Structure formats: structure tokens, C-alpha cells
Amino acid sequence: MPNWVQLLQPLQRSLLDMVLRAPCPLCDRTAQQGFCVSCARQIQRCQLLDPQIYWQNPLPLFAWGQYGGALKRAIATLKYENHPELAEPLGQWTGQSWRTSGLATSRLVVLPIPMYRDKQKQRGFNQAELLARSFCQITRFSLKPEGLVRVRATEAQFGLSVIERQNNLAGAIQISPSAENALKGKQVLLFDDIYTTGATARAAAAVLQQAGIKVFGIVAIAAPSQMVSHPTAVNA
């Protein structure tokens, strides 16, 4: 093989990689693992210095980042613009943060907060499940993607009062019959993309606790800035 052909081969591979590589969905630059380098840095600047700031009863919360800026755009793009691939880096970053937190490192079962089947069919995926899957790749926790099911549609929680949120979720989340026995005696870690008022997480935790299943806490990719300023809001 001529030397000039050998010299061209790395260039050809590089050009092919550029053509085949999907652009960053936030800015259209060349992306690696979902985001371009610039957007990944902007998202990582949203990471909380202390993700355990809300790790307190009655439902301890581990939140990777503050819901705003580039992280808010990334989650919205994942959910509403059909970019499920973005769950991989977000979930993995959260998993890496958990591993350095000093919290549990084994014997936890991760249950994503479920979506109602019609809504999931329309979207094509449950973002909480995808994020939890990437999180478990790093933490090595067991994942039960259908451990919880949402048996009826609910209204968006935004704008509802505390009582309206409770009524909205009453009976909406249940333990999957096929998973209940397998969860007995296990410690469960709930997982969601965003933790806002905590009503959905508390509803899921209550269902599990009523069945005698211990809830270790909940992990979320993001928590709103109001909670960052006022940590006691997690129990409101």
C-alpha cells in the first residue's frame, strides 16, 4: 500500500466520524455522548455543590443539579424534542455524583417514577426510566423499570394547590403485581427527572411503604432554585 494512502486513512476516518456524528441538540455543534463540549460544560455548571442538601426525612432527596439554565434546556430537549439519547450523560453524571457521596453503594433497587401508558406511548419513552438506567450503569444498582405503574392519567401538577395535588395523584400510582413479591425485603430508591413539590414522589413512596417496602430515598436530576435557597421546602 502506498505511503500516501496510509497517511490519508486517519483523515478519512476522522471525516467519516464528523459526518456520522449527530449534532448537539442544544446548539448544533459536533456532539460527543449527546452534547457538545461547550454545552456539557454549561450543564455541569448547574451541578449542586452538595447534592445531599435535601437528604432529610420524611423522604430524603438526592438532587444532582439546579433546575435552570442549560440543565433545564437539556431536560426539556430530552422530554419534548425526542432526544432520548440525552438521558445517558445526565444519568451517568448523577450516578458518578452518587458514588462519591458516601451514601449506599449496594443492595438498592431503583424504581423510576412511572408515566401513564397513553402518555408514554405518545412520547415514545419514559425519561425517568432512561435516566435511571444510565444511573444504574454507574452505581451498579438493580433497576426495575416497571416496578411501579401509573394506572390512570393525571393533570399536570403545576398550578395546583397542595390538596389538589394529593387528590390528583390519589390511587394513580401502584406497585406492579409482578414486582411486589420481588421487592419485599429490599430497599428502594425512587428516580425522577425533576423534583418540584415532591407530591408525586411522596405518593409513590406511600404506596411502597404501605406494602411494607422500605424507601431509601429519591434521586432526581434537578431540583428548582427555590429549593436550593430554601432547603426546608423539600418537606413542604
Side-chain angles (χ1 to χ4, degrees):
M1 182 181 295
N3 289 339
W4 64 269
V5 174
Q6 293 176 328
L7 292 172
L8 282 175
Q9 284 181 336
L11 178 60
Q12 289 173 330
R13 285 195 294 269
S14 177
L15 290 172
L16 184 61
D17 286 344
M18 291 179 64
V19 171
L20 295 179
R21 193 176 295 162
C24 174
L26 303 187
C27 69
D28 289 331
R29 295 188 187 97
T30 301
Q32 293 181 339
Q33 198 186 18
F35 303 106
C36 71
V37 173
S38 176
C39 288
R41 286 174 180 165
Q42 291 179 52
I43 294 166
Q44 289 170 334
R45 289 191 192 106
C46 298
Q47 182 176 358
L48 293 174
L49 294 177
D50 181 10
Q52 299 182 62
I53 190 172
Y54 314 120
W55 195 260
Q56 52 189 276
N57 291 325
L59 182 61
L61 165 67
F62 183 94
W64 180 78
Q66 180 173 330
Y67 185 60
L71 180 56
K72 182 177 180 179
R73 287 193 294 115
I75 293 174
T77 301
L78 160 64
K79 293 167 65 172
Y80 306 122
E81 298 181 25
N82 193 30
H83 282 282
E85 74 278 6
L86 300 185
E88 183 175 353
L90 293 172
Q92 289 181 352
W93 292 337
T94 305
Q96 290 161 2
S97 182
W98 177 279
R99 289 192 63 179
T100 60
S101 70
L103 293 171
T105 57
S106 63
R107 297 188 299 277
L108 291 181
V109 179
V110 178
L111 300 184
I113 295 295
M115 292 177 67
Y116 186 57
R117 61 178 183 271
D118 291 349
K119 186 174 182 180
Q120 183 167 335
K121 185 177 180 180
Q122 181 181 21
R123 181 170 294 173
F125 56 87
N126 175 3
Q127 70 279 353
E129 178 183 337
L130 297 182
L131 291 161
R133 192 173 298 279
S134 294
F135 173 81
C136 289
Q137 289 173 356
I138 301 298
T139 60
R140 303 300 181 187
F141 293 155
S142 299
L143 175 67
K144 278 206 170 294
E146 297 180 357
L148 293 171
V149 293
R150 196 175 293 236
V151 296
R152 64 174 177 82
T154 54
E155 295 180 49
Q157 295 286 88
F158 180 77
L160 299 181
S161 68
V162 173
I163 294 177
E164 287 172 335
R165 291 189 186 108
Q166 293 172 348
N167 293 336
N168 186 38
L169 290 164
I173 297 176
Q174 296 181 6
I175 304 172
S176 171
S178 61
E180 186 167 355
N181 287 337
L183 292 173
K184 293 289 187 181
K186 303 291 178 62
Q187 290 195 87
V188 163
L189 190 63
L190 297 169
F191 201 104
D192 208 356
D193 57 337
I194 308 166
Y195 187 105
T196 49
T197 66
T200 303
R202 287 193 294 270
V207 167
L208 291 161
Q209 290 162 347
Q210 287 166 8
I213 299 166
K214 184 175 180 181
V215 179
F216 189 77
I218 179 167
V219 174
I221 301 298
S225 57
Q226 293 87 343
M227 287 178 54
V228 174
S229 301
H230 305 285
T232 55
V234 72
N235 293 328

